[in-house]
Amino acid sequence: MPVPAAGRKNGLAGTAGEQFERKRAEQMGGTVEMQTEKRLNLGILAHVDAGKTTLSEALLYKAGNLRHFGRVDSRDTFLDTDSQERERGITIFSKQAVLQYGDLQVTLLDTPGHVDFSAEAESVLQVLDYCILIVSAADGVKGHTMTIWSLLKEYRVPTMIFVNKMDQPGMEREKTLAEIRRRLDVNCVDLSGASAGLTEAQAEDVAACDEELMEMYLERGAAAVSAEKIAELVAGRRLFPCFFGSALKLEGIEELLWALRAYTVAQVYGTEFAARVFKITRDKQGNRLTHLKIMGGSLKSRELLNDEKVNQIRIYSGERYESVQEATAGQICAVTGPEKSRMGMGYGILEGTNLPILEPVLCYKVTAPEGVDADTLLKNLCILEEEDPQFFVTFEETHREILVRVMGEVQREVLERTVQDRFGIRITFGTGSVVYKETIAAPVEGVGHFEPLRHYAEVHLLLEPLERGNGLQFGTVCSEDILDKNWQRLILTHLREKMHRGVLIGAAVTDMKITILTGRAHQKHTEGGDFRQATYRAVRQGLMCAENILLEPYYHFRMELPVENVGRAMTDVEGMSGRMNPPEVFGETAVLTGQAPVVCIQNYSREMAAYTRGKGTLSLSLAGYGICHNAEEVIAEKGYLPEADLRNPPDSVFCAHGAGFTVPWNEVYDYMHVESAYHPYPEENARKEAQVFRARSMAGSVPEGGSIGTEEVDAILNRTFYSNSDTNVKAAAQKRKGVGEQEERNISVAEESTYQYRPKAPVRSCLVVDGYNMIFAWEELKGLAAENLDSARDKLIDILSGYRGVSGSEVILVFDAYRVKGRKSTEAAHAGLRIVYTGEGETADQYIERFANQNGRKYHVTVATSDRLEQMTVWANNCRRISARELEQKIKEDTRRLLQEYREKRNI
């Protein structure tokens, strides 16, 4: 892995710089290669429309590498070369360009900003030395910006921040910086103008990022905060310099280029060859290109990469490339020749594969047009799967269906166009659904046995749940004296090679650790394929015995909306089975954050735009997987039968009298040859007996009624808890008898207490509102009604639904419809609000009076109206009264007060 070291040609060389350089180099071990020229791989990341491509263009232009400054709206930028990118005005595929600025050579990597192409951007992170994160001054820190920030932290990429679009009216530097420090990191420091020297305030802010530097600052003042020290802090992700400007107006670009020279350090690489693949593409001639970064040693043309010859090495800059004979450490290149390379694969001393953390959450069925064979389409889609890290293709052989998983609607549209342009096939997509997963709630042992004639293998696996987001992990605790090391390695290989399906709906299993406990092989009859069958069956049998949990994808959400609409939003989030943080109020705007199921909130932006009149914004980013909010409904809809899945059998195969026979999964514990190695606590054997009993009851082998006799209970106790002592058996039986008597006494007590005092349920509060009375009494609604009565009515509904959300009271809104001929009285529900439209011949006053008469003494009823006669009538029925203007003021005051209380309860 590369290790930063101080540069030698950027004015930072010197004794301290060399010490820092050597100190970092020591972490590599062995011989290191020093670069005489500072070479950086720099990524540009941001949320969509923040100005990534424009900034890349500006950097190239200001550095003198471009003669013409292209614009996205003019469709003539250097890096957006794909036709779809130019049509949509967004970056879809990551591109690279070589930037030379004095002694600084930068390979610039422009990445997609749209959330649907997040995995494309993430795949680039593993080869970056530094990153520029763009924040739009107009939009601030968006939800996707937070996702990128967490990924940069995960990959430990040193980061600078460029606040773009500062040329737009009303942009405030201090306000934007405060938001960045609040939401990203407190060590984000404004270093604008630092090229002319740090101010005292800037030096103090930088020193505050490091305790050692702060001590030096207190002793020596601003002189202690050198450019070299800043570069060290940036490389260690302890300081995030912030710069402000406008990429479109070329403002702040030269200062950013200066910072890239002054506040970055060159890299130190080992002499042993190492490389990491981050992308697979094809050129216009159809040649397969493997994009990789050399992370140690060098790569020469005609050399072998895992037994595949490198035919050509290319250094790309935009669409053009230069062929070279050798790529050295630190360079990003594309090679032709290898056909087995995959995104994330490591070469040389870099073993394993790094796959993106983000993954697609939507699944679609793909249909080919008439005349196109499904196998041909599948082959073409698999080519695209190689190139796109967030695109997954599966073939469901049972129904002969092709399923694809994508991040969102935009990626689906791009995929549809790409298939048509490259392969001439016009595909169609079915209705999309979210990608579910499964896991388990508690540890369980799974046993798989495979013993047809002249074959033998038995495997015992421990399945344990992990925290969310950990995926599948594999290990072994089995002694090599029990099962040879080669067999254990084979079992681990079989565990990793397969996507294990759950037993609820057949979804992929995740967040689980699978450990080899024990096993057995036959010296003569065991073959490699035997352990494959035993391993698969052990996993499946364990899942059948376990308590399974259905998981669904969740989004992080951030809503910015008017304060009067926050109650409605909170009610909607609760209806989505979402979780939210206390709302933050900034003047007339409220910010609501939390998590909600993807299936519920993915299309909520349209609804929110409607009830906020376009004033609300919704940002979504993938939060990971959580417990499915409607698991029973999903399981019933899928109708998956695990025992009917012939490709994933849970049963085992044993041999007797020279022939193999199948043993159902729920009887495997009775037939297994190797004793269980899972004994976490004494009660475990009893638990296993309970599992077997449950399995037998499901299979119908337990007597009618689902109960077992006293003799069988004693037998289970005798085999588990009290196997070593007859006295203990007798004591246990006596104890069990005592427990039974106590249960009978408890039942008697419960029966006797049937008529004991119980506190009354709290009396419900109810607000009944005369709709048209409010509309023509409130100035805001009155003016709106003069133009459009429907708009005023909708506005009142939104206000009251929001109030209902924060107050918790039941609200009934009544509208007159007595003049509408033939109309019957109807009721409707809207975000928890009950809306009544009276029928022909009945006024709102009459409905409210009848309601007050029937419920005035049952509930705390408050009637909102300015009609004096109606106020007297409801007062006579023990109801409270409130005028239209009083209600308007009360809603505003209560909303603010309740929000404040909500925040204080949680110490916000």
Side-chain angles (χ1 to χ4, degrees):
M1 293 295 291
V3 179
R8 294 184 178 277
K9 288 191 176 182
N10 62 347
L12 302 182
T15 304
E18 291 177 0
Q19 290 175 353
F20 173 59
E21 178 179 293
R22 295 301 172 190
K23 177 182 175 183
R24 300 286 288 180
E26 285 173 2
Q27 298 176 16
M28 288 293 298
T31 309
V32 297
E33 293 180 352
M34 302 303 302
Q35 298 175 359
T36 57
E37 177 183 58
K38 186 192 290 187
R39 179 188 293 161
L40 299 177
N41 296 306
L42 178 70
I44 308 291
L45 288 93
H47 65 82
V48 68
D49 293 332
K52 296 176 306 304
T53 302
T54 304
L55 180 61
S56 301
E57 197 82 7
L59 290 170
L60 291 167
Y61 179 72
K62 275 294 187 180
N65 295 271
L66 290 181
R67 294 182 180 179
H68 170 69
F69 178 58
R71 293 177 55 133
V72 175
D73 52 1
S74 300
R75 301 183 181 180
D76 60 351
T77 56
F78 182 69
L79 290 175
D80 279 351
T81 56
D82 186 82
S83 59
Q84 293 192 72
E85 291 179 322
R86 291 183 169 177
E87 289 174 11
R88 292 177 176 269
I90 62 173
T91 301
I92 298 174
F93 310 103
S94 59
K95 303 288 195 321
Q96 72 183 62
V98 178
L99 180 154
Q100 191 72 41
Y101 188 63
D103 61 343
L104 176 66
Q105 185 186 89
V106 176
T107 299
L108 201 63
L109 290 151
D110 184 22
T111 62
H114 197 285
V115 65
D116 283 11
F117 307 103
S118 299
E120 173 86 10
E122 184 189 348
S123 65
V124 175
L125 295 183
Q126 56 192 319
V127 299
L128 295 182
D129 301 325
Y130 284 86
C131 167
I132 296 177
L133 176 64
I134 304 176
V135 175
S136 170
D139 300 326
V141 178
K142 306 288 284 186
H144 188 48
T145 311
M146 300 292 295
T147 301
I148 296 170
W149 186 258
S150 63
L151 290 173
L152 290 170
K153 183 179 180 180
E154 180 73 23
Y155 287 94
R156 294 203 54 78
V157 181
T159 304
M160 297 183 185
I161 298 173
F162 183 76
V163 181
N164 195 22
K165 302 185 181 182
M166 287 298 294
D167 57 315
Q168 295 186 7
M171 300 299 100
E172 300 178 21
R173 178 184 300 229
E174 292 77 12
K175 182 180 178 181
T176 305
L177 181 62
E179 182 185 10
I180 290 173
R181 299 189 68 176
R182 185 179 75 252
R183 300 193 61 196
L184 298 185
D185 197 290
V186 71
N187 287 353
C188 295
V189 178
D190 180 7
L191 294 184
S192 300
S195 56
L198 295 178
T199 66
E200 192 67 35
Q202 287 175 329
E204 183 177 350
D205 288 343
V206 171
C209 299
D210 183 72
E211 291 184 8
E212 182 181 342
L213 182 57
M214 175 57 77
E215 292 179 4
M216 295 170 58
Y217 171 76
L218 293 175
E219 292 176 3
R220 298 166 47 195
V225 186
S226 63
E228 193 173 29
K229 248 325 186 186
I230 292 176
E232 181 181 344
L233 293 177
V234 172
R237 284 185 55 85
R238 286 172 288 168
L239 170 65
F240 306 97
C242 298
F243 302 92
F244 295 77
S246 169
L248 188 62
K249 299 292 181 63
L250 298 175
E251 297 172 358
I253 305 303
E254 290 184 353
E255 188 171 35
L256 186 58
L257 284 168
W258 176 87
L260 288 174
R261 292 183 66 189
Y263 297 150
T264 59
V265 292
Q267 305 294 302
V268 177
Y269 298 92
T271 54
E272 291 189 74
F273 175 71
R276 179 74 70 188
V277 178
F278 70 94
K279 190 176 180 182
I280 304 293
T281 63
R282 282 172 171 78
D283 63 14
K284 293 182 179 180
Q285 287 71 42
N287 297 313
R288 191 177 190 271
L289 300 176
T290 300
H291 297 258
L292 47 82
K293 178 185 178 183
I294 311 300
M295 306 179 85
S298 65
L299 177 66
K300 295 180 180 179
S301 183
R302 305 300 176 182
E303 286 188 341
L304 296 180
L305 285 177
N306 288 4
D307 299 325
E308 292 186 297
K309 186 171 69 175
V310 174
N311 295 327
Q312 188 181 31
I313 301 176
R314 302 177 180 181
I315 306 297
Y316 270 89
S317 185
E319 285 188 302
R320 300 188 296 270
Y321 68 86
E322 175 189 359
S323 296
V324 297
Q325 291 300 311
E326 181 180 14
T328 57
Q331 280 191 295
I332 288 179
C333 61
V335 300
T336 62
E339 295 291 330
K340 298 178 182 178
S341 56
R342 294 292 182 269
M343 196 274 292
M345 180 184 291
Y347 287 113
I349 62 173
L350 290 180
E351 297 181 356
T353 301
N354 289 345
L355 295 176
I357 298 172
L358 301 177
E359 56 182 323
V361 295
L362 299 178
C363 183
Y364 292 89
K365 174 186 173 183
V366 177
T367 305
E370 292 186 10
V372 177
D373 182 60
D375 293 332
T376 302
L377 176 59
L378 180 62
K379 180 181 178 181
N380 292 332
L381 290 175
C382 287
I383 292 175
L384 297 180
E385 184 181 24
E386 285 185 354
E387 304 172 7
D388 193 340
Q390 69 261 27
F391 174 52
F392 289 81
V393 182
T394 56
F395 184 65
E396 197 67 51
E397 294 192 17
T398 307
H399 302 96
R400 301 286 298 173
E401 294 178 345
I402 299 176
L403 303 176
V404 298
R405 290 164 55 186
V406 295
M407 295 290 286
E409 292 293 321
V410 176
Q411 189 195 2
R412 183 183 62 80
E413 294 170 4
V414 169
L415 174 63
E416 188 175 354
R417 170 75 177 275
T418 302
V419 172
Q420 183 176 356
D421 291 347
R422 287 183 57 174
F423 308 114
I425 302 175
R426 195 178 192 87
I427 60 175
T428 56
F429 292 89
T431 303
S433 62
V434 299
V435 178
Y436 293 95
K437 293 188 177 184
E438 298 182 33
T439 190
I440 59 176
V444 66
E445 181 183 13
V447 179
H449 188 97
F450 187 70
E451 189 190 1
L453 188 62
R454 295 189 178 88
H455 293 268
Y456 189 93
E458 180 166 307
V459 176
H460 290 232
L461 301 174
L462 175 62
L463 281 57
E464 300 174 280
L466 296 176
E467 292 184 3
R468 299 289 176 263
N470 280 282
L472 291 178
Q473 298 178 11
F474 308 99
T476 179
V477 294
C478 180
S479 170
E480 294 180 18
D481 295 334
I482 296 175
L483 189 62
D484 189 75
K485 186 175 182 179
N486 289 333
W487 293 129
Q488 295 189 41
R489 286 178 175 175
L490 187 60
I491 294 171
L492 292 174
T493 299
H494 294 323
L495 287 172
R496 293 188 180 99
E497 70 187 4
K498 180 181 174 66
M499 185 194 78
H500 301 283
R501 293 185 177 274
V503 297
L504 297 177
I505 62 172
V509 172
T510 188
D511 299 338
M512 188 168 70
K513 182 177 181 180
I514 304 179
T515 305
I516 304 173
L517 290 176
T518 186
R520 180 176 292 177
H522 193 280
Q523 290 183 352
K524 181 179 179 180
H525 296 308
T526 299
E527 299 177 358
D530 299 344
F531 270 105
R532 175 186 290 110
Q533 287 292 332
T535 300
Y536 292 171
R537 293 168 190 267
V539 173
R540 195 71 171 171
Q541 194 266 351
L543 292 174
M544 293 293 288
C545 292
E547 179 184 350
N548 294 273
I549 301 173
L550 186 64
L551 304 176
E552 67 176 337
Y554 278 70
Y555 273 146
H556 283 299
F557 67 80
R558 177 182 171 85
M559 301 181 190
E560 297 182 18
L561 67 171
V563 171
E564 61 265 22
N565 298 126
V566 73
R568 161 71 187 274
M570 292 171 69
T571 301
D572 289 347
V573 171
E574 289 178 359
M576 297 176 194
S577 301
R579 303 182 294 272
M580 60 192 138
N581 301 316
E584 301 177 72
V585 179
F586 304 95
E588 296 297 321
T589 302
V591 176
L592 194 62
T593 58
Q595 296 181 6
V598 169
V599 70
C600 298
I601 201 172
Q602 60 181 334
N603 297 318
Y604 183 67
S605 58
R606 300 172 187 172
E607 182 179 347
M608 189 175 74
Y611 71 74
T612 62
R613 301 295 187 268
K615 297 178 182 179
T617 60
L618 173 65
S619 300
L620 299 174
S621 60
L622 190 61
Y625 276 77
I627 296 176
C628 182
H629 74 286
N630 60 337
E632 292 184 2
E633 180 182 334
V634 173
I635 293 171
E637 181 184 346
K638 297 291 184 182
Y640 179 72
L641 299 175
E643 292 174 294
D645 189 347
L646 300 182
R647 293 185 175 274
N648 299 279
D651 305 331
S652 286
V653 178
F654 288 81
C655 185
H657 306 295
F661 65 97
T662 301
V663 173
W665 63 270
N666 47 19
E667 298 178 15
V668 171
Y669 292 132
D670 295 334
Y671 286 82
M672 62 188 187
H673 293 178
V674 182
E675 184 180 352
S676 173
Y678 180 48
H679 305 292
Y681 34 75
E683 297 89 348
E684 180 56 33
N685 285 341
R687 177 175 296 180
K688 191 175 291 292
E689 292 281 0
Q691 290 175 347
V692 172
F693 168 69
R694 183 179 63 185
R696 287 177 179 172
S697 65
M698 291 174 62
S701 60
V702 172
E704 186 176 355
S707 60
I708 58 178
T710 306
E711 294 79 6
E712 188 167 352
V713 173
D714 288 336
I716 292 174
L717 291 172
N718 189 33
R719 290 197 302 269
T720 55
F721 293 97
Y722 318 110
S723 57
N724 297 324
S725 171
D726 292 337
T727 306
N728 286 343
V729 173
K730 295 178 181 179
Q734 191 67 32
K735 180 179 179 181
R736 182 163 47 81
K737 180 180 177 181
V739 170
E741 293 173 354
Q742 180 63 42
E743 288 178 348
E744 291 181 2
R745 286 197 296 271
N746 290 342
I747 293 173
S748 300
V749 171
E751 290 174 349
E752 291 173 3
S753 63
T754 302
Y755 299 102
Q756 290 182 355
Y757 169 78
R758 289 179 174 81
K760 293 183 179 179
V763 180
R764 228 171 34 175
S765 297
C766 180
L767 173 66
V768 184
V769 181
D770 187 336
Y772 289 123
N773 195 289
M774 301 301 111
I775 288 176
F776 294 105
W778 296 3
E779 291 299 326
E780 180 185 4
L781 298 181
K782 186 176 181 181
L784 197 58
E787 300 178 3
N788 189 313
L789 185 59
D790 289 340
S791 298
R793 186 166 54 230
D794 292 343
K795 179 68 174 177
L796 178 60
I797 290 173
D798 287 342
I799 292 172
L800 291 178
S801 62
Y803 178 68
R804 185 260 171 203
V806 297
S807 67
S809 300
E810 182 178 351
V811 180
I812 302 174
L813 177 60
V814 185
F815 288 111
D816 284 310
Y818 70 97
R819 294 182 180 178
V820 181
K821 292 185 178 181
R823 182 180 179 92
K824 296 181 179 179
S825 179
T826 59
E827 291 190 15
H830 179 82
L833 177 69
R834 181 178 162 191
I835 307 171
V836 177
Y837 298 92
T838 63
E840 180 184 4
E842 183 181 31
T843 65
D845 293 353
Q846 292 171 331
Y847 177 91
I848 293 172
E849 289 170 9
R850 187 174 73 254
F851 181 89
N853 182 51
Q854 295 173 352
N855 301 284
R857 287 172 173 78
K858 297 179 184 178
Y859 312 117
H860 292 317
V861 178
T862 302
V863 176
T865 179
S866 292
D867 187 315
R868 286 284 182 183
L869 181 60
E870 187 176 355
Q871 285 183 349
M872 294 299 294
T873 304
V874 299
W875 177 74
N877 286 292
N878 203 36
C879 297
R880 298 189 180 101
R881 311 166 282 178
I882 187 172
S883 69
R885 295 191 182 279
E886 288 173 338
L887 178 63
E888 182 181 20
Q889 187 64 28
K890 178 178 175 58
I891 288 175
K892 292 179 180 178
E893 292 177 355
D894 285 1
T895 300
R896 291 186 179 280
R897 177 178 56 79
L898 291 169
L899 284 175
Q900 183 63 30
E901 291 177 357
Y902 191 70
R903 296 173 64 192
E904 289 175 353
K905 285 180 181 179
R906 290 157 179 80
N907 298 319
I908 299 300

